[in-house]
Every structure is written in C-alpha cells, then in structure tokens.
Amino acid sequence: MDLWELADLRTPWSLRVVVTLRIADHIAAGREQLDDLAEAADAEPDALSNVLRQLVGKGVFAEPAPGRFVLNEAAERLRDPAVRIGLDLDGIGGRMAYAWGTLPTYARTGRSGYHELFGMPFWDDIAAHPHLAAGFDALMGSVGHGQPVPHFGLADGWDRVRTVVDVGGGRGDMLAELLRARPALQGTLVDLPGTVERSAEIFAAAGVADRVTTAPQSFFEPLPTGADLYLLRKVINDWPDREAQAILGRCAEAAAPDGRVVVLGGVSEDGAPGGLVEEMVLVAGQQRGVTEFADLARTAGLELVAAEREPSGYFVVECRPAA
C-alpha cells in the first residue's frame, strides 16, 4: 500500500480548481488553446497548464497536442450541476472542502471545528450567507441527490395516511414527490424561512401547490400538530445526540396519537461498517445503528415499529409515539 498515494491532495484540489474556474465550460465553448483558455478563466497560463496536466494524467481531460486541452467523458461530468455545486470553491463546495482542515478538532473532541475556520458554526454560516444556503438546498434536493423516491413502505401501509409533515424538508423536493405520487395526501413543509421561500417553484412544477402549506420555522420549535406522518429525510444524521433527541421529541409531541415518525437516512443496520462522513466534520453529526437509534428515539418519547432497507436503497425507520 502506497501511503503517499493515499495522502495525495493534488488531484482532488485540481478538480475543485478547474470546476471553480469553469474550465470544462470554456473548453465546451471552443476555448481549447491554453492561452485562450487561461484568458477566459482569468488564470495564469503556465499555472493552469500544470493543474490541467495533473488531471490529464489521471484521465480527466485530454491534451491531443501541446497546449490544447479537450474534454473527454470524465471531464464532461464536471459540467453537471451537482458536481459544479459540490466542487466549486467559491460556494458551498468550498466550505465543505476547507472544513476538512478542522478534522483534528473532531478527532480530539468529537465536536465540529468548523467555527474555528469560518468564525461561526455551519448552520449559522449557512443562514448568514444566502448564496451558501441556496447551494446547500440544491445539494440536498434533486440537483445533488437526484429525484427523491417517494415509494417507501410503512408497517400498516399508506391507506390511513392523509397528512404528512416534512420536517427539515429543504425546498420541498421530497414532499413534492410524495404528494405527486399520492393524490389523497395533504402536506406541510417545515424549514427555515429563507429555505421555505424557495419551495414555491418546486411545488408548482410538481402540480401540488394546492395541497401544501408551509411552516417557516426551526424544527427545534413546536411543530404543526396532529398529522398522520412526520418525515425526517437526511436530518437526524446532521446532529449529535442531544439535538437529534430534541428533533425527535418535537415530532413525538406533535404527532397524532396513532401517527408515525419516519426517518430516511442516517440509520443503518447494526454492525454496518462505519467511517468518516462529511456531516461529522461539518456539524458533528453521526450515523447510527438501529439499536442505537431505537435507544435515542425512546428517550424522545418514540417507540420503534419497523426498520428495514427498501429496494430504493433507503434504510427506512418507522416510529410511533410511546404509549
């Protein structure tokens, strides 16, 4: 095993630089010669050639003649909106990349060191910078994760579900797909005001705007009450135990007596291989096994009803308010 190869930072940072400079787009527009390409990207030609040749050596871009760079299949992918948002150093992708420099703090304390680098915790940083919030919403929605899959199973089926609250649902991508797939459903989207404001176009495009209400608020505040289903999609894994328990507790106190709380993402089979995930560095979030999650849910007033992997790939965890 070559440890230096494992530790090499040249390729990942070169990828981020060419995305930030929109190199693939400039080449697609016909700017293939180095000097022309550097002018379009506002870059220094010799430095840019060094970055590009690092990637050519890894199979990203091709150089058919000295100083002429063209797209290949791998380089074409750099024009994908999800890749662009995730790797652009001037946006949310930059925050996520640079945050890995705080990994020693996480390793030493189990807490995020994000604030050490950016002056405030991740969520506060997102709230303070609209362009970061918009990029984050896009990554969490269909741009970054693809079109949400609304067909997950419930222990007693969907027949008795008439109302669903999507807690921390971002711009509403998942809720829109749920409502589109199940015309009898009424939905409520809960997220921070700036995020909820960006949901109207999502619901309108899905043709479900007449069946949605929005609650522009934090999910640490009391939630809209009495719904049949409270959905937490890729939320609980973003928080340490204390905050995760608080979010689950809000769902438990808001749910109808026979309501249910469904968690998609952040829970895995007991004993599944672990490892670093981005949420750990950004916000000290964590993945949890089923047993660990069941214990956490119990402290929040919820009883685990079912937990299984769906064909879609989601590990679906269903809870109900404890008697």
Side-chain angles (χ1 to χ4, degrees):
M1 179 182 295
D2 187 340
L3 292 180
W4 287 112
E5 183 176 349
L6 289 176
D8 181 37
L9 297 176
R10 289 172 295 178
T11 300
W13 278 100
S14 294
L15 280 171
R16 286 168 169 82
V17 166
V18 298
V19 168
T20 304
L21 297 178
R22 302 290 188 264
I23 296 300
D25 292 331
H26 294 314
I27 292 175
R31 313 290 287 266
E32 296 181 348
Q33 296 299 326
L34 177 60
D35 287 344
D36 197 22
L37 184 57
E39 181 182 19
D42 193 22
E44 200 282 323
D46 289 340
L48 179 60
S49 70
N50 290 334
V51 172
L52 283 169
R53 283 170 180 148
Q54 169 66 27
L55 295 175
V56 168
K58 297 295 184 179
V60 184
F61 298 103
E63 189 179 9
R68 177 173 170 249
F69 295 92
V70 299
L71 300 178
N72 56 14
E73 183 178 354
E76 281 282 3
R77 294 185 60 199
L78 300 180
R79 304 180 66 204
D80 180 271
V83 174
R84 177 177 295 173
I85 294 171
L87 297 183
D88 186 345
L89 293 171
D90 290 336
I92 188 66
R95 289 295 206 263
M96 292 178 171
Y98 289 117
W100 283 101
T102 69
L103 184 59
T105 295
Y106 172 75
R108 291 179 178 124
T109 68
R111 296 188 295 272
S112 169
Y114 185 95
H115 63 285
E116 299 171 353
L117 192 58
F118 299 109
M120 61 183 79
F122 178 77
W123 298 118
D124 294 343
D125 194 22
I126 293 294
H129 297 93
H131 76 288
L132 297 180
F136 181 77
D137 288 346
L139 278 183
M140 295 301 103
S142 59
V143 172
H145 290 291
Q147 202 68 8
V149 179
H151 301 290
F152 55 88
L154 298 175
D156 294 332
W158 283 85
D159 291 346
R160 294 168 56 191
V161 179
R162 292 291 179 268
T163 53
V164 56
V165 176
D166 192 354
V167 181
R171 302 179 306 171
D173 296 86
M174 182 66 179
L175 184 56
E177 290 304 305
L178 269 177
L179 298 182
R180 182 156 61 177
R182 303 181 185 280
L185 281 183
Q186 298 285 326
T188 300
L189 174 66
V190 175
D191 214 305
L192 296 176
T195 297
V196 166
E197 284 178 4
R198 294 188 284 273
S199 68
E201 61 185 85
I202 302 294
F203 296 132
V208 300
D210 60 332
R211 291 188 283 130
V212 181
T213 59
T214 59
Q217 62 168 83
S218 166
F219 43 48
F220 292 111
E221 300 169 4
L223 298 172
T225 60
D228 300 315
L229 189 151
Y230 288 79
L231 178 64
L232 292 162
R233 177 177 179 258
K234 298 179 180 176
V235 170
I236 294 301
N237 52 301
D238 282 341
W239 298 93
D241 284 348
R242 185 177 67 175
E243 288 83 358
Q245 178 186 337
I247 297 166
L248 292 169
R250 287 302 191 190
C251 293
E253 69 186 24
D258 59 349
R260 59 198 81 186
V261 178
V262 171
V263 175
L264 300 178
V267 182
S268 57
E269 294 172 300
D270 287 337
L276 277 174
V277 294
E278 214 152 31
E279 294 94 329
M280 295 174 180
V281 177
L282 296 175
V283 291
Q286 62 185 96
Q287 297 285 113
R288 297 173 176 89
V290 172
T291 300
E292 183 182 6
F293 176 81
D295 292 341
L296 180 68
R298 193 175 300 113
T299 65
L302 293 171
E303 176 185 358
L304 189 72
V305 173
E308 59 183 66
R309 186 176 300 280
E310 291 279 307
S312 64
Y314 279 119
F315 204 84
V316 181
V317 180
E318 183 178 346
C319 302
R320 290 185 178 169

